Every structure is written in structure tokens, then in C-alpha cells.
Amino acid sequence: MNWYEYIFIFIVILGAFNTAYQLYRMVQLDAKSRGFKHPKIWGLLATGGQNRGGLLLYLLSRRNYPSNMSEDEINSMNSRKKRIGICLIFLTVGSICLIISLISNGRI
Amino acid sequence: MKIGEQLRAVRISMKLTQEQVAEDIHVSRQTISNWENNRSYPDIISVIKLSDLYNISLDQLLKGDQDMIKHLNESTDIVSSNKKLIIISLANVFLFLFMILCNKMIASNTIVMGCVMIAAVLCMTTLFYQIIRKF
């Protein structure tokens, strides 16, 4: 493996971990505002799991509970959404560079 | 004129502090500061409350700031946001159907395989971002 491929892997891991953390905090905040009993567990459930099944489960479960967020919490949610957007750019760019690098070096 | 500048000018002319305004419309002082410095925009309910408190028409508050109108449009246009989500979901479905149906052709050509992998990464991250925006 070339040195730059390690950098691409690092960028992908950085983006993935940060996305997971921001999502955990977002779900925790949202669950708290809707009066869910265990917001941290919902956060973990939504973050973990393959194919984002936990997140979809949370989105389906929350439908019957109205959100009572304060303006500060709404601002915090919007800021976290932006951070997730940036993390996803890292993730996408890192993954695409890694794919191109692996193909051009004949490893796929 | 930006909505933040308008809010600050009217508040000062009425000799109100940020704390007093925050108390009247049930938000924090930091939120008022953010609105006045154009770091964030008030939601439509807060705009109505501010227009009542400051005795300014909604026309005057909203029409001068194109960014504010854009923000309100983005936060209230559910049809357009749902449309994007449906299009991205369909793109994902078509891509995975293509991967299943044309697996022999994809496996035999590394360039095609690379293109499909890149398309899959782009589709998945875009879908995820659209779901996050719905929060």
C-alpha cells in the first residue's frame, strides 16, 4: 500500500467517526425534546447498525411524539447538520480517491 | 437591509435590551444576539412575535432580506425536500438493480467497476444527507 492510500483511509475514518458522533448528538437532542425516556440509548441505536436501520427505526418511532425544541436547540441541530455535511464530503472524497488509487495501481 | 440590522436598529430605537426582548418572545439572549448579527435566522413564529413586539409589518421585516426569504423557503418547502429524497432513493434502487443485473459486465471491466463504486458512494452519501436534512 502507498503512503497516500493510508492518508485516504485516515480521511474516510475521520469522516465516518465524526458523522457517527454528530448523528448520536443530534438524535439524543431530538429524543430529549420529544420526551423519550432514554435519549442516549436512542442515540446509540441510531448511530450503530448496518444500512442505517437504527436511524430509520428512530425516525419511524418519533412520528407520534411532537418536538418541543427551544431556539437554541434548533440552532444546535442546524449546526450539527452542517457538520455532518462537511464530514460526508470528507468521507466521499476520501473514498473516491481510495477507489481511484486502488484501480490505478491494479489492486482491484 | 438585512433582517438582523433591522432588528437591532428597532430594538435600540425602542430602548429595549436583548434580555427584555428574549424574555418577551421566550428565547435566550444568545439567540437574539445571533439573529441581530445575522449568524442565524428567526423561524416564522418568532418573526411574527418580533413584528408584534416592535410594531413593524411583516412586509418590512421580511421583504428587505433575500437570504431570509431563501431560508424560510428552504425550511417550509416540504414538497421540494420530499421530491429530492424520493429521487435520490430511486437512484439508489436503480444503481443496486444495475449492480445485480449487470454483475458479469461490471466484474470483467475494472474501469466500469470503479465508476459503479464511485456512483454507489455518491448515491449513499447523498441519500444519507437528505435523511439528515429531514430531521
Side-chain angles (χ1 to χ4, degrees), chain A residues 19 23 71-72 81 92 103 108, chain B residues 28 31 43 110 113-114 135:
Chain A
T19 304
L23 182 65
E71 191 67 34
D72 288 337
K81 279 181 199 176
T92 311
I103 287 175
I108 293 183
Chain B
S28 67
T31 304
D43 59 275
T110 47
M113 191 193 286
F135 248 90

Side-chain angles (χ1 to χ4, degrees), chain B residues 1 6 29-30 34 38 43 46 62 65 70-73 75 79 88 92 107 110 115 119 121-122 130 133 135:
Chain B
M1 195 179 187
Q6 274 197 73
R29 194 205 60 79
Q30 187 60 45
N34 285 341
N38 296 310
D43 59 275
S46 302
L62 296 173
D65 191 345
K70 198 178 159 196
H71 164 76
L72 284 178
N73 186 34
S75 55
V79 176
I88 295 295
N92 268 279
T110 47
C115 292
V121 169
L122 286 172
Q130 287 301 324
R133 283 188 68 184
F135 248 90

Side-chain angles (χ1 to χ4, degrees), chain A residues 2 6 31 38-40 55 66-69 72 76 84-85 91-92 96 98 104:
Chain A
N2 294 320
Y6 286 108
H38 305 290
K40 283 185 181 174
L55 178 62
S67 173
N68 293 311
M69 271 193 199
D72 288 337
S76 167
I84 288 187
L91 195 72
T92 311
I96 291 172
L98 193 63
S104 60

Side-chain angles (χ1 to χ4, degrees), chain B residues 21-22 69 73 128:
Chain B
V21 178
I69 294 170
N73 186 34
F128 184 58

Side-chain angles (χ1 to χ4, degrees), chain B residues 65-83:
Chain B
D65 191 345
Q66 285 303 315
D67 290 341
M68 175 69 190
I69 294 170
K70 198 178 159 196
H71 164 76
L72 284 178
N73 186 34
E74 277 173 6
S75 55
T76 50
D77 195 354
I78 298 166
V79 176
S80 157
S81 145
N82 279 345
K83 213 188 244 177

Side-chain angles (χ1 to χ4, degrees), chain B residues 74-115:
Chain B
E74 277 173 6
S75 55
T76 50
D77 195 354
I78 298 166
V79 176
S80 157
S81 145
N82 279 345
K83 213 188 244 177
K84 277 184 198 165
L85 187 62
I86 291 167
I87 290 169
I88 295 295
S89 305
L90 284 175
N92 268 279
V93 171
F94 282 124
L95 184 69
F96 284 102
L97 278 176
F98 174 73
M99 282 162 85
I100 292 167
L101 296 174
C102 306
N103 57 5
K104 270 188 186 169
M105 190 260 283
I106 295 168
S108 62
N109 190 331
T110 47
I111 306 275
V112 177
M113 191 193 286
C115 292

